[in-house]
Amino acid sequence: MRILVLGGTTFVGRAIVAEALGRGDEVTLFGRGRTGTELFPDAARLIGDRDTGDYAALAGTEWDAVVDVSAYVPRHVQQAAEAVTAGRCLLISTGSVYDHTRSPTVVDEDAPRLAPERGTEDHNSQAYGPLKVACEDDLARLWGERGTVVRPGIVAGPYDPTDRFTWWVRRAARGGQVALPGRPDQPTQVVDSCDLARLVLQLLHDDRPGTFNAIGPAEPVTLQELIQACARGAGSTVEVVPIQADVELPLVVRDEAWWPFMRRSAERARAVGLTATPLEQTAADVLAWDRERGEPPLAVEVSPEREAELLAG
């Protein structure tokens, strides 16, 4: 299969490209050529810039499928549709399109979405989810049955730039008492980046339309169980200790009104091939990568001394 990936050198895109090449697909990357230039020597590269609307390198090209990893605003979807000739377009969307104020107990792909946003392109804001809704709407309008939407939840794995899962893996690896400024029974979902990539490639090879929640693990877990799984993956043991403190940590959701976001259904995706890497394995993979890169500072830092103070109350 000849696949064009719009993006493809950081995290989710990187996992998708690696999976495609591993399957023997012919992959071409489209981007600005500023990051990951040393990656994927077997993949062709075309240079352009979605921010400025420069798709000239795609003129006259045809593909079996295009994977849009980097569409954050509806203009990206519209311009790509004008520039790309392909049998199918798969959009990486987000679970943030759902309206938590109207969500049922378990959120499937038909749950209410937020209203689309077309008046701004500031996707690093509360407009992120509504902008992705507009992207989904334009994909449906422009590609019809040749469009596919994948809505990942929180993605975990090596090369994750967000630190959300990595934070807990690194902390759990130290072992001992772990301060948790939240409810241990909070539902928590993460999907391994490799499972997400496999789903994307399966959908393309099956030429399958529709919308799919990419969510893991296979069985529901609480935040406490996720931390304990991280410890098992690191070969350590932990005791999770709930605390009352104004400390913001990754994956902690204090407002129970938002908990439906951690109860999304992956039944539809699992029926068509979504795999489920055990959390312990994901944690082990992330820990190995984190140590290999030298364990740089994370976006959130809580020193052992500060954690001891929090545990002491």
Side-chain angles (χ1 to χ4, degrees):
M1 176 175 279
R2 298 179 65 248
I3 300 174
L4 173 68
V5 180
L6 304 178
T9 58
T10 59
F11 197 32
V12 170
R14 181 171 182 165
I16 291 170
V17 172
E19 176 68 18
L21 292 172
R23 289 184 177 224
D25 291 320
E26 182 182 335
V27 179
T28 297
L29 306 179
F30 175 82
R32 293 176 294 184
R34 299 177 185 174
T35 60
T37 55
E38 76 286 357
L39 300 175
F40 308 124
D42 295 332
R45 292 176 181 268
L46 297 173
I47 304 301
D49 191 336
R50 306 193 78 175
D51 288 340
T52 63
D54 177 13
Y55 293 85
L58 297 178
T61 61
E62 294 187 11
W63 314 90
D64 297 317
V66 56
V67 180
D68 197 338
V69 182
S70 56
Y72 294 102
V73 299
R75 173 174 59 85
H76 291 160
V77 176
Q78 297 159 12
Q79 292 175 337
E82 295 172 357
V84 172
T85 299
R88 177 160 300 282
C89 181
L90 186 147
L91 173 69
I92 301 297
S93 185
T94 172
S96 295
V97 299
Y98 293 113
D99 183 350
H100 82 281
T101 65
R102 298 190 295 151
S103 293
T105 302
V106 177
V107 179
D108 65 15
E109 291 83 354
D110 298 322
R113 297 181 305 159
L114 297 164
E117 173 62 69
R118 298 182 183 274
T120 181
E121 290 198 348
D122 182 9
H123 56 84
N124 294 312
S125 68
Q126 291 184 345
Y128 172 69
L131 283 166
K132 280 288 197 176
V133 173
C135 289
E136 290 187 3
D137 289 350
D138 284 356
L139 183 86
R141 176 174 59 84
L142 295 166
W143 291 87
E145 285 297 300
R146 294 185 299 123
T148 303
V149 173
V150 173
R151 295 174 181 156
I154 293 171
V155 186
Y159 314 108
D160 178 6
T162 72
D163 295 339
R164 289 177 293 187
F165 187 75
T166 306
W167 196 95
W168 288 108
V169 172
R170 190 185 291 186
R171 175 59 194 89
R174 293 208 317 264
Q177 288 190 324
V178 176
L180 177 60
R183 292 262 302 272
D185 61 340
Q186 173 201 309
T188 307
Q189 292 178 311
V190 298
V191 61
D192 190 290
S193 56
C194 292
D195 294 323
L196 171 58
R198 292 186 195 109
L199 173 66
V200 167
L201 269 297
Q202 192 64 52
L203 293 170
L204 293 183
H205 279 265
D206 291 345
D207 195 28
R208 190 181 297 277
T211 300
F212 303 88
N213 285 337
I215 294 296
E219 297 298 329
V221 296
T222 64
L223 184 53
Q224 175 172 294
E225 289 168 340
L226 179 138
I227 297 168
Q228 292 168 336
C230 287
R232 291 193 297 273
S236 63
T237 57
V238 296
E239 177 190 357
V240 178
V241 180
I243 62 170
Q244 297 294 326
D246 188 19
V247 179
E248 296 296 328
L249 292 182
L251 304 185
V252 176
V253 182
R254 291 192 179 92
D255 186 351
E256 293 184 33
W258 291 86
W259 283 15
F261 274 98
M262 294 293 187
R263 293 194 184 105
R264 297 179 197 138
S265 170
E267 182 177 348
R268 185 182 300 179
R270 297 215 185 283
V272 297
L274 176 63
T275 54
T277 300
L279 276 175
E280 292 87 345
Q281 184 60 56
T282 303
D285 293 343
V286 168
L287 182 62
W289 161 72
D290 190 35
R291 288 174 172 172
E292 181 180 357
R293 67 177 181 155
E295 296 184 310
L298 300 176
V300 175
E301 291 289 349
V302 177
S303 69
E305 294 76 18
R306 175 56 178 154
E307 186 175 23
E309 293 175 0
L310 293 170
L311 287 167

